[in-house]
Amino acid sequence: MRPTADSLTVLVVGAGGREHSLALAASHDPGVGAVHVAPGNPGTAAFATNHPVDIMDGPAVAALATSIGADLVIVGPEAPLVAGVADDVRAAGIACFGPSRAAAQLEGSKAFAKKVMADAQVPTAQSRVATTPAQAAAALDEFGAPYVVKDDGLAAGKGVIVTSDRAAALAHAAECDQVVIEEYLDGPELSLFVITDGTSAVPLLPAQDFKRVGEGDAGPNTGGMGSYAPLPWLPADVVDEVMVQVVRPTLERMRELGTPFAGLLYVGLALTAAGPRVVEFNARFGDPETEVVLPLLKGPFARVLLAAATGTLADAPALTVGPGAAVGVVLASTGYPTDPHPGGVIKLPPAHDDVQVIHSGTALDAHGQLVSAGGRVLVVVARGIDLADARAKAYAAVDRIDFPDGFCRRDIASPQRLAAIADQLS
């Protein structure tokens, strides 16, 4: 990829599967001449330039962006956003896709997000904030089982417990400085990504992820074991309804607070009998949903993000959804999420049409071998003419990977799962 005088230089901040997917999507934008990733991973090194940097060090990220002449910085993970890295990049005069530190509190504090939703009259679960065992016990008794207890701060997708075991719920609350305890929302969950400059907003294709480690949604919560899009069971008017009832009121309230939210608003939803209800807000692209949503998009992805970062989203070219479907299957290290065992050697087959092998937690060892370096290691994403075709291709690709120390769920986007959701909504 060779930059030209009028082409964009893009820097993606992060090292996981989400950042691999973001960098790949940016590289496919014909208006982009060079893609850099900091720190990146062995997968991004195949098509972009990696740079060692501490992603929590805002001045260091800004200095890197300046040194490479970045026109756009995309901050992937939530921790640097909550720490204010986007503010440092913008202070250096570089466009940054990602909310300010103040606006990122929509993810950084669930209590803050609940207050914003209450003020904006956004439909969500009733909740209570608890900082003591007595407050937690009272809230659990008020709402009853199943109990939903959420760590107020960032917890890498593992800070939520949903259980009918009151003792387990109390124990989780005791491990956190502050928790939000909610009524249980009964209904299938989905993720909606919304690109926004703080005023204008563009929804992307809804997706669904699989949060628990075991098949049939057994075991503890993880960062996500797989995902798929589109959602054949989703009523056609839900996205429009969410934009009217959730997204626009939230953005308006954030402007009123003097902390406009510009970047990616992730709306986690439960489709209840009473309609869609917000489960959570995140301040960045979700993982592993990003890996299946972006391959289905058509249009100048990086230039749309640049428009959002510069307050001109209303004038940006359109992103559209291409035909077909995508399924992503996570390969994780044995023992994940409680005690993952990194270091296992991975051997990847040659590239295959309609399949992307996204690196989430990989490294090169002293011998140059690809090895696991985290809990979630790879996301195998396949596109197909429909979900069944995409799913078959994804699992066929998984089976071509030599990773003895890895495992995956075998029920991602299964026909049984889709049928059960359709029955639940009928």
Side-chain angles (χ1 to χ4, degrees):
M1 182 186 303
R2 297 190 177 188
T4 61
D6 59 350
S7 62
L8 298 176
T9 295
V10 176
L11 171 63
V12 177
V13 177
R18 166 184 43 232
E19 290 74 44
H20 187 165
S21 293
L22 287 167
L24 199 58
S27 74
H28 292 155
D29 185 331
V32 171
V35 177
H36 300 256
V37 191
N41 60 46
T44 60
F47 63 92
T49 304
N50 288 350
H51 301 267
V53 73
D54 178 357
I55 66 172
M56 299 300 291
D57 186 340
V61 173
L64 172 62
T66 300
S67 70
I68 64 174
D71 300 292
L72 171 66
V73 175
I74 304 168
V75 181
E78 60 272 25
L81 288 169
V82 172
V85 169
D87 300 287
D88 291 311
V89 172
R90 280 189 281 267
I94 300 170
C96 185
F97 183 80
S100 67
R101 177 176 184 170
Q105 286 304 299
L106 269 183
E107 177 167 6
S109 170
K110 293 178 178 60
F112 174 82
K114 281 293 189 180
K115 180 65 166 58
V116 169
M117 283 187 265
D119 292 345
Q121 298 184 329
V122 167
T124 186
Q126 296 183 66
S127 65
R128 300 290 181 266
V129 176
T131 57
T132 68
Q135 290 173 343
L140 293 177
D141 291 341
E142 178 182 0
F143 294 129
Y147 305 109
V148 181
V149 184
K150 299 180 177 181
D151 189 339
D152 181 60
L154 298 180
K158 306 179 191 72
V160 179
I161 184 171
V162 181
T163 179
S164 294
D165 184 335
R166 188 174 183 275
L170 283 171
H172 182 67
E175 294 171 356
C176 308
D177 293 333
Q178 178 168 285
V179 293
V180 173
I181 295 175
E182 298 183 349
E183 65 173 331
Y184 176 72
L185 295 175
D186 189 16
E189 294 189 11
L190 62 136
S191 303
L192 178 66
F193 299 162
V194 180
I195 296 170
T196 178
D197 60 9
T199 302
S200 297
V202 175
L204 302 183
L205 184 67
Q208 185 180 61
D209 73 333
F210 291 67
K211 294 180 172 63
R212 294 187 181 268
V213 70
E215 293 176 16
D217 294 331
N221 272 342
T222 73
M225 293 299 293
S227 56
Y228 68 97
L231 309 181
W233 44 265
L234 187 66
D237 59 349
V238 166
V239 171
D240 290 340
E241 184 178 350
V242 171
M243 294 299 292
V244 171
Q245 295 187 358
V246 175
V247 174
R248 294 193 179 99
T250 298
L251 296 179
E252 181 180 2
R253 181 56 183 157
M254 293 296 285
R255 293 194 301 271
E256 291 171 352
L257 292 171
T259 55
F261 186 100
L264 196 289
L265 180 63
Y266 169 120
V267 186
L269 297 157
L271 196 57
T272 73
R277 297 290 183 267
V278 175
V279 175
E280 65 177 348
F281 284 140
N282 289 332
R284 40 69 192 181
F285 283 94
D287 189 346
E289 303 98 305
T290 300
E291 287 88 324
V292 297
V293 170
L294 297 193
L296 295 174
L297 294 181
K298 292 184 176 295
F301 179 71
R303 282 172 286 170
V304 171
L305 299 195
L306 178 62
T310 55
T312 59
L313 186 59
D315 301 320
L319 290 174
T320 59
V321 178
V327 171
V329 178
V330 170
L331 277 167
S333 293
T334 300
Y336 177 75
T338 54
D339 185 27
H341 304 148
V345 175
I346 306 164
K347 295 179 181 178
L348 299 178
H352 193 274
D353 289 346
D354 294 332
V355 175
Q356 295 177 352
V357 178
I358 302 296
H359 293 233
S360 288
T362 65
L364 298 178
D365 68 10
H367 305 288
Q369 298 181 108
L370 187 69
V371 296
S372 64
R376 293 186 299 164
V377 180
L378 299 170
V379 187
V380 179
V381 181
R383 299 184 305 277
I385 58 174
D386 55 23
L387 281 173
D389 183 42
R391 183 174 188 272
K393 290 177 178 176
Y395 280 109
V398 165
D399 292 337
R400 289 194 294 268
I401 295 173
D402 183 1
F403 180 29
D405 294 335
F407 74 96
C408 69
R409 283 183 59 164
R410 289 279 171 176
D411 61 347
I412 306 300
S414 69
Q416 294 83 1
R417 171 77 173 227
L418 300 181
I421 294 175
D423 289 343
Q424 186 178 3
L425 294 175
S426 63

PDB file of all heavy atoms in Angstrom, residues 95-119:
ATOM      1  N   ALA A  95      -7.080  14.415  13.936  1.00  0.00           N
ATOM      2  CA  ALA A  95      -8.445  13.894  14.058  1.00  0.00           C
ATOM      3  C   ALA A  95      -8.405  12.527  14.716  1.00  0.00           C
ATOM      4  O   ALA A  95      -7.584  11.666  14.365  1.00  0.00           O
ATOM      5  CB  ALA A  95      -9.109  13.803  12.688  1.00  0.00           C
ATOM      6  N   CYS A  96      -9.301  12.316  15.674  1.00  0.00           N
ATOM      7  CA  CYS A  96      -9.315  11.046  16.409  1.00  0.00           C
ATOM      8  C   CYS A  96     -10.742  10.527  16.488  1.00  0.00           C
ATOM      9  O   CYS A  96     -11.653  11.234  16.934  1.00  0.00           O
ATOM     10  CB  CYS A  96      -8.750  11.234  17.812  1.00  0.00           C
ATOM     11  SG  CYS A  96      -8.591   9.679  18.742  1.00  0.00           S
ATOM     12  N   PHE A  97     -10.933   9.282  16.064  1.00  0.00           N
ATOM     13  CA  PHE A  97     -12.232   8.630  16.189  1.00  0.00           C
ATOM     14  C   PHE A  97     -12.263   7.919  17.530  1.00  0.00           C
ATOM     15  O   PHE A  97     -11.618   6.885  17.727  1.00  0.00           O
ATOM     16  CB  PHE A  97     -12.475   7.632  15.052  1.00  0.00           C
ATOM     17  CG  PHE A  97     -13.833   6.998  15.106  1.00  0.00           C
ATOM     18  CD1 PHE A  97     -14.944   7.667  14.632  1.00  0.00           C
ATOM     19  CD2 PHE A  97     -14.008   5.732  15.650  1.00  0.00           C
ATOM     20  CE1 PHE A  97     -16.209   7.092  14.684  1.00  0.00           C
ATOM     21  CE2 PHE A  97     -15.261   5.149  15.708  1.00  0.00           C
ATOM     22  CZ  PHE A  97     -16.361   5.832  15.227  1.00  0.00           C
ATOM     23  N   GLY A  98     -13.007   8.477  18.448  1.00  0.00           N
ATOM     24  CA  GLY A  98     -13.118   7.952  19.804  1.00  0.00           C
ATOM     25  C   GLY A  98     -13.546   9.074  20.718  1.00  0.00           C
ATOM     26  O   GLY A  98     -13.131  10.226  20.545  1.00  0.00           O
ATOM     27  N   PRO A  99     -14.411   8.796  21.682  1.00  0.00           N
ATOM     28  CA  PRO A  99     -14.928   9.850  22.549  1.00  0.00           C
ATOM     29  C   PRO A  99     -13.867  10.396  23.500  1.00  0.00           C
ATOM     30  O   PRO A  99     -12.850   9.754  23.765  1.00  0.00           O
ATOM     31  CB  PRO A  99     -16.044   9.150  23.330  1.00  0.00           C
ATOM     32  CG  PRO A  99     -15.637   7.711  23.344  1.00  0.00           C
ATOM     33  CD  PRO A  99     -14.970   7.475  22.020  1.00  0.00           C
ATOM     34  N   SER A 100     -14.141  11.585  24.005  1.00  0.00           N
ATOM     35  CA  SER A 100     -13.299  12.183  25.023  1.00  0.00           C
ATOM     36  C   SER A 100     -13.353  11.360  26.303  1.00  0.00           C
ATOM     37  O   SER A 100     -14.214  10.493  26.472  1.00  0.00           O
ATOM     38  CB  SER A 100     -13.774  13.599  25.324  1.00  0.00           C
ATOM     39  OG  SER A 100     -15.064  13.560  25.939  1.00  0.00           O
ATOM     40  N   ARG A 101     -12.424  11.657  27.204  1.00  0.00           N
ATOM     41  CA  ARG A 101     -12.427  10.979  28.499  1.00  0.00           C
ATOM     42  C   ARG A 101     -13.763  11.175  29.205  1.00  0.00           C
ATOM     43  O   ARG A 101     -14.328  10.228  29.774  1.00  0.00           O
ATOM     44  CB  ARG A 101     -11.290  11.516  29.362  1.00  0.00           C
ATOM     45  CG  ARG A 101     -11.241  10.917  30.764  1.00  0.00           C
ATOM     46  CD  ARG A 101     -10.028  11.432  31.532  1.00  0.00           C
ATOM     47  NE  ARG A 101      -9.923  10.800  32.840  1.00  0.00           N
ATOM     48  CZ  ARG A 101      -8.874  10.917  33.645  1.00  0.00           C
ATOM     49  NH1 ARG A 101      -7.829  11.641  33.258  1.00  0.00           N
ATOM     50  NH2 ARG A 101      -8.860  10.320  34.808  1.00  0.00           N
ATOM     51  N   ALA A 102     -14.289  12.402  29.169  1.00  0.00           N
ATOM     52  CA  ALA A 102     -15.552  12.684  29.857  1.00  0.00           C
ATOM     53  C   ALA A 102     -16.698  11.905  29.233  1.00  0.00           C
ATOM     54  O   ALA A 102     -17.531  11.322  29.940  1.00  0.00           O
ATOM     55  CB  ALA A 102     -15.834  14.179  29.824  1.00  0.00           C
ATOM     56  N   ALA A 103     -16.755  11.871  27.892  1.00  0.00           N
ATOM     57  CA  ALA A 103     -17.849  11.170  27.222  1.00  0.00           C
ATOM     58  C   ALA A 103     -17.721   9.662  27.350  1.00  0.00           C
ATOM     59  O   ALA A 103     -18.731   8.946  27.382  1.00  0.00           O
ATOM     60  CB  ALA A 103     -17.907  11.571  25.749  1.00  0.00           C
ATOM     61  N   ALA A 104     -16.491   9.161  27.434  1.00  0.00           N
ATOM     62  CA  ALA A 104     -16.272   7.720  27.547  1.00  0.00           C
ATOM     63  C   ALA A 104     -16.774   7.158  28.871  1.00  0.00           C
ATOM     64  O   ALA A 104     -16.822   5.929  29.046  1.00  0.00           O
ATOM     65  CB  ALA A 104     -14.799   7.392  27.362  1.00  0.00           C
ATOM     66  N   GLN A 105     -17.167   8.026  29.803  1.00  0.00           N
ATOM     67  CA  GLN A 105     -17.750   7.527  31.043  1.00  0.00           C
ATOM     68  C   GLN A 105     -19.061   6.796  30.798  1.00  0.00           C
ATOM     69  O   GLN A 105     -19.543   6.072  31.686  1.00  0.00           O
ATOM     70  CB  GLN A 105     -17.961   8.690  32.029  1.00  0.00           C
ATOM     71  CG  GLN A 105     -16.680   9.201  32.648  1.00  0.00           C
ATOM     72  CD  GLN A 105     -15.914   8.073  33.341  1.00  0.00           C
ATOM     73  OE1 GLN A 105     -16.407   7.459  34.279  1.00  0.00           O
ATOM     74  NE2 GLN A 105     -14.707   7.792  32.861  1.00  0.00           N
ATOM     75  N   LEU A 106     -19.646   6.940  29.618  1.00  0.00           N
ATOM     76  CA  LEU A 106     -20.815   6.116  29.279  1.00  0.00           C
ATOM     77  C   LEU A 106     -20.476   4.634  29.396  1.00  0.00           C
ATOM     78  O   LEU A 106     -21.353   3.814  29.665  1.00  0.00           O
ATOM     79  CB  LEU A 106     -21.290   6.423  27.859  1.00  0.00           C
ATOM     80  CG  LEU A 106     -22.347   7.511  27.680  1.00  0.00           C
ATOM     81  CD1 LEU A 106     -22.743   7.626  26.224  1.00  0.00           C
ATOM     82  CD2 LEU A 106     -23.572   7.269  28.553  1.00  0.00           C
ATOM     83  N   GLU A 107     -19.211   4.288  29.176  1.00  0.00           N
ATOM     84  CA  GLU A 107     -18.770   2.915  29.415  1.00  0.00           C
ATOM     85  C   GLU A 107     -17.990   2.793  30.710  1.00  0.00           C
ATOM     86  O   GLU A 107     -18.076   1.791  31.406  1.00  0.00           O
ATOM     87  CB  GLU A 107     -17.907   2.399  28.263  1.00  0.00           C
ATOM     88  CG  GLU A 107     -17.384   0.992  28.526  1.00  0.00           C
ATOM     89  CD  GLU A 107     -16.787   0.321  27.302  1.00  0.00           C
ATOM     90  OE1 GLU A 107     -16.672   0.976  26.255  1.00  0.00           O
ATOM     91  OE2 GLU A 107     -16.450  -0.877  27.386  1.00  0.00           O
ATOM     92  N   GLY A 108     -17.220   3.819  31.050  1.00  0.00           N
ATOM     93  CA  GLY A 108     -16.347   3.752  32.208  1.00  0.00           C
ATOM     94  C   GLY A 108     -17.088   3.642  33.526  1.00  0.00           C
ATOM     95  O   GLY A 108     -16.550   3.115  34.501  1.00  0.00           O
ATOM     96  N   SER A 109     -18.325   4.126  33.575  1.00  0.00           N
ATOM     97  CA  SER A 109     -19.127   4.033  34.796  1.00  0.00           C
ATOM     98  C   SER A 109     -20.552   3.667  34.436  1.00  0.00           C
ATOM     99  O   SER A 109     -21.261   4.450  33.789  1.00  0.00           O
ATOM    100  CB  SER A 109     -19.119   5.364  35.561  1.00  0.00           C
ATOM    101  OG  SER A 109     -20.069   5.341  36.606  1.00  0.00           O
ATOM    102  N   LYS A 110     -20.983   2.493  34.857  1.00  0.00           N
ATOM    103  CA  LYS A 110     -22.356   2.077  34.572  1.00  0.00           C
ATOM    104  C   LYS A 110     -23.359   2.940  35.325  1.00  0.00           C
ATOM    105  O   LYS A 110     -24.481   3.162  34.854  1.00  0.00           O
ATOM    106  CB  LYS A 110     -22.524   0.595  34.897  1.00  0.00           C
ATOM    107  CG  LYS A 110     -21.726  -0.302  33.961  1.00  0.00           C
ATOM    108  CD  LYS A 110     -21.846  -1.761  34.309  1.00  0.00           C
ATOM    109  CE  LYS A 110     -21.068  -2.608  33.308  1.00  0.00           C
ATOM    110  NZ  LYS A 110     -19.626  -2.280  33.287  1.00  0.00           N
ATOM    111  N   ALA A 111     -22.957   3.440  36.500  1.00  0.00           N
ATOM    112  CA  ALA A 111     -23.849   4.332  37.239  1.00  0.00           C
ATOM    113  C   ALA A 111     -24.056   5.638  36.467  1.00  0.00           C
ATOM    114  O   ALA A 111     -25.174   6.161  36.400  1.00  0.00           O
ATOM    115  CB  ALA A 111     -23.279   4.614  38.622  1.00  0.00           C
ATOM    116  N   PHE A 112     -22.984   6.168  35.878  1.00  0.00           N
ATOM    117  CA  PHE A 112     -23.105   7.369  35.056  1.00  0.00           C
ATOM    118  C   PHE A 112     -24.024   7.116  33.865  1.00  0.00           C
ATOM    119  O   PHE A 112     -24.901   7.937  33.541  1.00  0.00           O
ATOM    120  CB  PHE A 112     -21.720   7.816  34.573  1.00  0.00           C
ATOM    121  CG  PHE A 112     -21.744   8.961  33.593  1.00  0.00           C
ATOM    122  CD1 PHE A 112     -21.862  10.267  34.037  1.00  0.00           C
ATOM    123  CD2 PHE A 112     -21.654   8.732  32.226  1.00  0.00           C
ATOM    124  CE1 PHE A 112     -21.885  11.325  33.135  1.00  0.00           C
ATOM    125  CE2 PHE A 112     -21.677   9.778  31.316  1.00  0.00           C
ATOM    126  CZ  PHE A 112     -21.796  11.087  31.776  1.00  0.00           C
ATOM    127  N   ALA A 113     -23.823   5.977  33.202  1.00  0.00           N
ATOM    128  CA  ALA A 113     -24.653   5.650  32.032  1.00  0.00           C
ATOM    129  C   ALA A 113     -26.124   5.544  32.429  1.00  0.00           C
ATOM    130  O   ALA A 113     -27.004   6.015  31.700  1.00  0.00           O
ATOM    131  CB  ALA A 113     -24.170   4.352  31.394  1.00  0.00           C
ATOM    132  N   LYS A 114     -26.392   4.930  33.574  1.00  0.00           N
ATOM    133  CA  LYS A 114     -27.783   4.801  34.035  1.00  0.00           C
ATOM    134  C   LYS A 114     -28.401   6.168  34.312  1.00  0.00           C
ATOM    135  O   LYS A 114     -29.583   6.400  34.029  1.00  0.00           O
ATOM    136  CB  LYS A 114     -27.839   3.924  35.283  1.00  0.00           C
ATOM    137  CG  LYS A 114     -27.752   2.437  35.001  1.00  0.00           C
ATOM    138  CD  LYS A 114     -28.997   1.955  34.250  1.00  0.00           C
ATOM    139  CE  LYS A 114     -29.039   0.459  34.142  1.00  0.00           C
ATOM    140  NZ  LYS A 114     -30.246  -0.016  33.418  1.00  0.00           N
ATOM    141  N   LYS A 115     -27.610   7.074  34.862  1.00  0.00           N
ATOM    142  CA  LYS A 115     -28.120   8.422  35.129  1.00  0.00           C
ATOM    143  C   LYS A 115     -28.441   9.149  33.825  1.00  0.00           C
ATOM    144  O   LYS A 115     -29.484   9.811  33.705  1.00  0.00           O
ATOM    145  CB  LYS A 115     -27.082   9.213  35.929  1.00  0.00           C
ATOM    146  CG  LYS A 115     -27.507  10.644  36.275  1.00  0.00           C
ATOM    147  CD  LYS A 115     -28.711  10.666  37.216  1.00  0.00           C
ATOM    148  CE  LYS A 115     -28.927  12.036  37.841  1.00  0.00           C
ATOM    149  NZ  LYS A 115     -29.128  13.113  36.855  1.00  0.00           N
ATOM    150  N   VAL A 116     -27.559   9.006  32.837  1.00  0.00           N
ATOM    151  CA  VAL A 116     -27.814   9.616  31.533  1.00  0.00           C
ATOM    152  C   VAL A 116     -29.089   9.044  30.921  1.00  0.00           C
ATOM    153  O   VAL A 116     -29.939   9.779  30.397  1.00  0.00           O
ATOM    154  CB  VAL A 116     -26.612   9.407  30.585  1.00  0.00           C
ATOM    155  CG1 VAL A 116     -26.976   9.801  29.151  1.00  0.00           C
ATOM    156  CG2 VAL A 116     -25.415  10.219  31.065  1.00  0.00           C
ATOM    157  N   MET A 117     -29.236   7.718  30.991  1.00  0.00           N
ATOM    158  CA  MET A 117     -30.432   7.087  30.425  1.00  0.00           C
ATOM    159  C   MET A 117     -31.697   7.552  31.144  1.00  0.00           C
ATOM    160  O   MET A 117     -32.725   7.810  30.502  1.00  0.00           O
ATOM    161  CB  MET A 117     -30.304   5.567  30.483  1.00  0.00           C
ATOM    162  CG  MET A 117     -29.396   4.994  29.417  1.00  0.00           C
ATOM    163  SD  MET A 117     -29.411   3.175  29.367  1.00  0.00           S
ATOM    164  CE  MET A 117     -27.992   2.799  30.386  1.00  0.00           C
ATOM    165  N   ALA A 118     -31.621   7.676  32.464  1.00  0.00           N
ATOM    166  CA  ALA A 118     -32.785   8.150  33.218  1.00  0.00           C
ATOM    167  C   ALA A 118     -33.148   9.575  32.814  1.00  0.00           C
ATOM    168  O   ALA A 118     -34.321   9.895  32.587  1.00  0.00           O
ATOM    169  CB  ALA A 118     -32.510   8.076  34.715  1.00  0.00           C
ATOM    170  N   ASP A 119     -32.159  10.428  32.708  1.00  0.00           N
ATOM    171  CA  ASP A 119     -32.405  11.824  32.335  1.00  0.00           C
ATOM    172  C   ASP A 119     -32.983  11.935  30.925  1.00  0.00           C
ATOM    173  O   ASP A 119     -33.797  12.816  30.648  1.00  0.00           O
ATOM    174  CB  ASP A 119     -31.108  12.636  32.420  1.00  0.00           C
ATOM    175  CG  ASP A 119     -30.614  12.805  33.844  1.00  0.00           C
ATOM    176  OD1 ASP A 119     -31.405  12.558  34.787  1.00  0.00           O
ATOM    177  OD2 ASP A 119     -29.437  13.170  34.022  1.00  0.00           O
TER     178      ASP A 119
END
